[in-house]
Amino acid sequence: MIAAVQDAPFSTGLSKWAQSLPDHISPTAAKAYLSCSLMFYFERVACIKRKTPVSLHLGKAVHAALQAFHLARWRGGDDSPETVAAAFDKSFRDLERDEGPVNYGSEQKREKTRIDGLRVIAAYLDSPEALKDKPRAVEVLLTETIPGLSVPLTGAMDLIEGNFTPVDFKSSAAKPDKSHAAFDHEIQLVSYQLLLEAAIGETPPSLDLVFLVKTKKPQTIRVTSKPADAHRKRRVVALLETAVEGIASNRFHPQPGMQCSWCQFRNECMAWLPVHEEERKAA
Ligand code: SF4
């Protein structure tokens, strides 16, 4: 589907709209595009398949276990540690089967990854952060029209607590720096606020991240940030729109930085050269 081209009420400083826009934009896609547009292209446009990174696989399986726990709390079902651990193990195996090989390197590394997952989940369930009351909602997928964005904004929230606080869970190898965490995840957190405000007309009391850290002694750390004011919201909408415009304009180029150390497309990146308009016409 091609969305209607509209003028944004601010300038991103980039070129005018291309003719075809993506159907929607998610904070995850926008952050990936803004981090390195060429890596975004290889992963999400060219869909070049690579072995799944271990951290991504572990994060997804932990996420599935937390979802099972929160859903059980919501429905009044079985939320015992054994059932949650079984949900983790099932997801761990299902993801290996359904999403292709994981880049473990060895069977020992696979088993260590599995045990790490079970340990961080047990630490969460034991922590004061483990959901006690019935949540407002679990795994909420919202798509809303947001002023200033030329395509709908979509986002999947892990959990909405009883007081409407959206919570996003992160698996992490190291303890997060609390002063940077909310800033690092600004696009995602503020997008959730925008979605909730558009969907239910409520501003959440805070925007929360819960980190499940797989240090030697696993830790569960909550980072709470204030809801965004008008300036922060406008800034995030402008970042989202910059990603939409770049994707719609086929603007994909290397953006060397820290992300190169875990990028799986170094060879493809080295082969990249810009295509000039004359070459495009001649092709
Ligand atoms: S190697 Fe670096 S610049 Fe190249 S695509 Fe990967 S992340 Fe981008």
Side-chain angles (χ1 to χ4, degrees), residues 116-195:
D116 281 348
L118 291 169
R119 288 171 63 240
V120 294
I121 291 162
Y124 168 70
L125 296 178
D126 248 6
S127 78
E129 301 305 339
L131 182 71
K132 304 284 183 299
D133 305 320
K134 186 173 175 175
R136 183 79 51 175
V138 179
E139 290 299 316
V140 189
L141 179 65
L142 289 178
T143 302
E144 296 291 337
T145 300
I146 304 293
L149 258 187
S150 53
V151 297
L153 175 64
T154 187
M157 282 164 254
D158 292 342
L159 179 68
I160 300 177
E161 293 180 335
N163 65 356
F164 284 113
T165 297
V167 184
D168 201 71
F169 291 86
K170 305 282 182 202
S171 300
S172 167
K175 211 170 151 181
D177 178 336
K178 283 194 173 188
S179 61
H180 289 153
F183 185 77
D184 286 350
H185 297 283
E186 173 88 342
I187 295 178
Q188 187 178 28
L189 292 174
V190 177
S191 290
Y192 291 170
Q193 177 180 339
L194 291 165
L195 286 167

Side-chain angles (χ1 to χ4, degrees), residues 56 115 157 169 202 226 230 263 268 278:
L56 179 63
I115 299 295
M157 282 164 254
F169 291 86
E202 290 261 356
K226 285 185 195 159
C263 178
E268 290 85 353
E278 305 80 65

Side-chain angles (χ1 to χ4, degrees), residues 36 38-39 42 253-257 259-260 263-266 269:
C36 178
L38 191 59
M39 182 158 65
F42 292 140
H253 56 84
Q255 290 165 247
Q259 64 277 10
C260 300
C263 178
Q264 302 192 81
F265 304 102
R266 291 275 197 100
C269 179

Side-chain angles (χ1 to χ4, degrees), residues 2-25:
I2 307 290
V5 178
Q6 301 165 353
D7 274 337
F10 52 81
S11 169
T12 56
L14 300 176
S15 61
K16 278 301 277 178
W17 294 111
Q19 289 310 302
S20 91
L21 296 170
D23 283 354
H24 62 268
I25 188 74

Side-chain angles (χ1 to χ4, degrees), residues 33 36-50 247 250 252 265 268-269 272:
Y33 178 83
C36 178
S37 55
L38 191 59
M39 182 158 65
F40 176 96
Y41 174 84
F42 292 140
E43 276 180 350
R44 293 172 181 246
V45 181
C47 298
I48 300 174
K49 195 79 184 121
R50 289 284 187 272
I247 295 164
N250 274 324
F252 303 111
F265 304 102
E268 290 85 353
C269 179
W272 176 89

